[in-house]
Amino acid sequence: MALAKTNKLYFYAICMLWVSFLYAQSIKGVVLDASTNQPIESASVYFDNTSIGTSTNDKGEFEIALKEDVSSALVISFLGYETALLQSYSPDKFYKVLLLEAINTLDEVVISTDDGMPREMKLEHFRAQFIGRSKIAKSCRILNEEVLNLSYNKKKKTLTASAYEPIRIQNEDLEYLISFDIKTFVINYAYINIDRNKHVVRGVSYTGTSYYKSLAADEDAIQVKKKRNEAYNGSVLHFMRALRNKRLKEEKFTIYSEGFRVDPYRYISISELNDSKWYQVKLRAPLSVRYQRKFQSEIKLPFKLSKSDSKPYYNVEIKVDTYGNYSPIGAFYFIGHMGDQRIGDSLPYDYEPSKR
């Protein structure tokens, strides 16, 4: 990936109100082939894990609206090229994005190797751990499974997945078409018997970039909003926003430590970072989280505390933005309700629940 930036000033009508000015800002640039310097038409340009996106015109140019609180990476991708990421950006600059051609990508063919696990079984396990098993997840289908390359490692008891183009997931319940560009995907098995198709999953991890396109028609708006609200309530996205805004109680989340209900802010602290859209959150893990007394989750550490540790907890630090996007992802993990959520239950970071 090669990126070049040049300064460019933009003129805005003086009569615009300041609030309007904030939401009228946009990111502009051009996408070119790094080798030929020719424009790339129809390249995808989107903010990661949002529904905010566009594509380049016949001159390779793009303009994408910039909401004030967006902090996701700007993703620029096109089939046959390496994906480019802009981690920071400004409406005061014009971006020249040079995409490098991906070696052998266009001619890549998914090869079914005899690794001891039938491809249909691999797909079954992949769907369950990537899409999920919830009611909403069961309404999802992958439209291009043929691009998936799935590999089982008998010695390590792992199933890995890659794809030579973004996989497309149609979510019938939530009315989204999700494009997910897989970077890594691994299922770790604690136990597996392929002959009987019996297995126990120790853990799942995956990374990538995603874009959500709403498929909801106007006549479906009320029903779709209801289903999206149901998916949002008690989700990781909901919890992170409530955490960042110090609204855990108001949003009906309760916190428990070692089986006892506790004051959240004795175990969690939130502070605004200077000159940043991010807030710093420090929490004492492990903790239990309950939503409306219905859904229970656990915040677990990515390692085991040794018997020699004098305290049965560890202080974890993360950053959370306005939308509930947090990092680093691997600072802790969820089990229970929030830990069971997968792509099939997910909503874009810019999703705003409808008023009850």
Side-chain angles (χ1 to χ4, degrees), residues 166-275:
I167 59 174
R168 292 177 288 115
I169 306 105
Q170 185 161 327
N171 190 322
E172 297 287 351
D173 274 3
L174 301 186
E175 292 284 354
Y176 282 116
L177 178 62
I178 308 169
S179 294
F180 193 95
D181 193 357
I182 296 176
K183 298 306 177 187
T184 64
F185 178 93
V186 182
I187 301 175
N188 286 286
Y189 299 96
Y191 164 81
I192 185 165
N193 185 319
I194 292 176
D195 293 334
R196 299 174 61 189
N197 194 13
K198 301 290 185 181
H199 64 278
V200 176
V201 174
R202 175 181 286 118
V204 180
S205 64
Y206 54 84
T207 60
T209 58
S210 57
Y211 173 63
Y212 293 72
K213 181 180 179 181
S214 180
L215 302 175
D218 290 342
E219 60 269 22
D220 300 328
I222 295 176
Q223 187 63 22
V224 170
K225 285 179 180 179
K226 180 180 177 181
K227 289 183 178 180
R228 289 179 180 177
N229 272 4
E230 289 174 356
Y232 174 77
N233 292 333
S235 66
V236 174
L237 184 63
H238 186 191
F239 175 70
M240 284 298 166
R241 288 183 181 179
L243 190 65
R244 183 262 187 206
N245 294 321
K246 299 182 182 181
R247 288 182 52 84
L248 290 171
K249 182 179 179 180
E250 292 82 352
E251 297 292 333
K252 305 187 186 308
F253 287 100
T254 51
I255 303 298
Y256 294 79
S257 177
E258 300 185 271
F260 295 96
R261 182 171 177 174
V262 297
D263 177 357
Y265 304 110
R266 287 186 56 196
Y267 292 77
I268 303 169
S269 66
I270 303 99
S271 57
E272 186 175 2
L273 295 173
N274 293 332
D275 302 321

Side-chain angles (χ1 to χ4, degrees), residues 47-294:
F47 291 106
D48 185 26
N49 216 355
T50 73
S51 61
I52 309 168
T54 186
S55 58
T56 56
N57 61 19
D58 58 352
K59 297 179 182 178
E61 299 167 335
F62 69 86
E63 180 176 358
I64 184 169
L66 175 62
K67 289 187 177 181
E68 181 185 9
D69 294 322
V70 167
S71 58
S72 299
L74 185 66
V75 182
I76 304 96
S77 67
F78 189 69
L79 183 61
Y81 289 82
E82 298 286 348
T83 299
L85 296 176
L86 280 175
Q87 299 290 353
S88 60
Y89 33 78
S90 168
D92 296 326
K93 296 180 180 179
F94 184 84
Y95 293 89
K96 182 179 179 182
V97 183
L98 305 177
L99 293 186
L100 296 171
E101 189 171 358
I103 300 173
N104 297 327
T105 298
L106 292 176
D107 299 323
E108 185 175 346
V109 177
V110 175
I111 301 173
S112 289
T113 57
D114 184 11
D115 54 20
M117 182 184 288
R119 179 169 173 81
E120 190 51 48
M121 187 182 294
K122 294 174 188 173
L123 284 170
E124 178 188 331
H125 292 196
F126 176 82
R127 294 185 198 111
Q129 298 303 327
F130 183 69
I131 301 297
R133 302 173 185 268
S134 69
K135 181 181 177 181
I136 294 174
K138 289 177 181 177
S139 78
C140 299
R141 61 191 179 98
I142 302 174
L143 303 181
N144 57 340
E145 286 185 340
E146 69 278 2
V147 307
L148 281 166
N149 188 9
L150 302 166
S151 179
Y152 173 65
N153 187 309
K154 182 178 180 180
K155 185 177 180 180
K156 295 182 178 180
K157 294 182 182 177
T158 59
L159 177 66
T160 58
S162 61
Y164 58 85
E165 66 179 57
I167 59 174
R168 292 177 288 115
I169 306 105
Q170 185 161 327
N171 190 322
E172 297 287 351
D173 274 3
L174 301 186
E175 292 284 354
Y176 282 116
L177 178 62
I178 308 169
S179 294
F180 193 95
D181 193 357
I182 296 176
K183 298 306 177 187
T184 64
F185 178 93
V186 182
I187 301 175
N188 286 286
Y189 299 96
Y191 164 81
I192 185 165
N193 185 319
I194 292 176
D195 293 334
R196 299 174 61 189
N197 194 13
K198 301 290 185 181
H199 64 278
V200 176
V201 174
R202 175 181 286 118
V204 180
S205 64
Y206 54 84
T207 60
T209 58
S210 57
Y211 173 63
Y212 293 72
K213 181 180 179 181
S214 180
L215 302 175
D218 290 342
E219 60 269 22
D220 300 328
I222 295 176
Q223 187 63 22
V224 170
K225 285 179 180 179
K226 180 180 177 181
K227 289 183 178 180
R228 289 179 180 177
N229 272 4
E230 289 174 356
Y232 174 77
N233 292 333
S235 66
V236 174
L237 184 63
H238 186 191
F239 175 70
M240 284 298 166
R241 288 183 181 179
L243 190 65
R244 183 262 187 206
N245 294 321
K246 299 182 182 181
R247 288 182 52 84
L248 290 171
K249 182 179 179 180
E250 292 82 352
E251 297 292 333
K252 305 187 186 308
F253 287 100
T254 51
I255 303 298
Y256 294 79
S257 177
E258 300 185 271
F260 295 96
R261 182 171 177 174
V262 297
D263 177 357
Y265 304 110
R266 287 186 56 196
Y267 292 77
I268 303 169
S269 66
I270 303 99
S271 57
E272 186 175 2
L273 295 173
N274 293 332
D275 302 321
S276 174
K277 302 172 184 177
W278 297 82
Y279 278 63
Q280 184 178 59
V281 175
K282 296 181 181 180
L283 55 87
R284 184 184 295 183
L287 290 174
S288 297
V289 182
R290 186 174 293 179
Y291 176 71
Q292 285 191 336
R293 297 185 178 181
K294 294 190 297 185

